[in-house]
Amino acid sequence: MNTPRTRFYRDKANGKLMGVCSGMGNYAGMDAFWIRLGFIIFTLTMGWPLLLYFAAGFIAPKKPEQLYHDRQEEKFWQDVRKSPSASARQVKGKFRDIDRRLARVEEHYVSSNRALSAEIERLR
């Protein structure tokens, strides 16, 4: 799971200072406001999270411009980061549904469908 879409990035475009909280919100699938609020509370009570913020700001790479094609793809990859096994089950279920529907279409065309045969002959 080392694809570029599953890594943590600073989101400078939506960030306030260095984009760390916005990147954390994007990575976790949460609103960046709640990450910022938690960060401010932790910084005021403990102090050391400010050092972690700047360290992450200098170490973490900036989010690439065209990482996701649309919002739906971004949401999918956030779900993959949260729970890869649940995402795999969801994709497997979608493929199973497509396979079932395709099997019904094949059965319809391959079986001896008299109404369909009559309609085809009428159209000739």
Side-chain angles (χ1 to χ4, degrees):
M1 196 156 88
N2 287 331
T3 67
R5 293 179 180 93
T6 58
R7 294 191 57 202
F8 169 73
Y9 294 105
R10 293 181 297 125
D11 190 3
K12 194 84 165 135
N14 299 318
K16 300 294 183 197
L17 183 61
M18 296 177 83
V20 175
C21 291
S22 181
M24 289 173 67
N26 184 12
Y27 187 80
M30 297 174 57
D31 188 22
F33 170 78
W34 298 111
I35 303 290
R36 290 182 186 112
L37 183 65
F39 175 75
I40 290 170
I41 291 171
F42 281 128
T43 300
L44 292 176
T45 57
M46 292 182 252
W48 57 266
L50 191 60
L51 296 173
L52 291 177
Y53 181 89
F54 284 110
F58 288 116
I59 294 172
K62 185 179 174 188
K63 181 180 174 183
E65 289 289 323
Q66 299 297 327
L67 185 61
Y68 307 113
H69 296 293
D70 56 9
R71 178 70 182 126
Q72 184 179 4
E73 183 183 5
E74 183 177 1
K75 176 78 171 108
F76 170 78
W77 284 106
Q78 286 173 351
D79 291 343
V80 168
R81 287 189 295 263
K82 284 182 191 176
S83 178
S85 60
S87 296
R89 281 193 305 270
Q90 182 183 12
V91 169
K92 186 177 178 181
K94 285 182 181 180
F95 276 119
R96 196 176 309 125
D97 182 52
I98 291 170
D99 190 43
R100 250 190 315 263
R101 292 185 343 204
L102 184 60
R104 278 186 281 174
V105 169
E106 286 176 351
E107 181 183 345
H108 179 74
Y109 284 108
V110 172
S111 69
S112 58
N113 189 343
R114 291 190 179 139
L116 180 63
S117 296
E119 185 68 25
I120 291 173
E121 289 300 322
R122 189 181 64 78
L123 292 173
R124 285 185 186 186

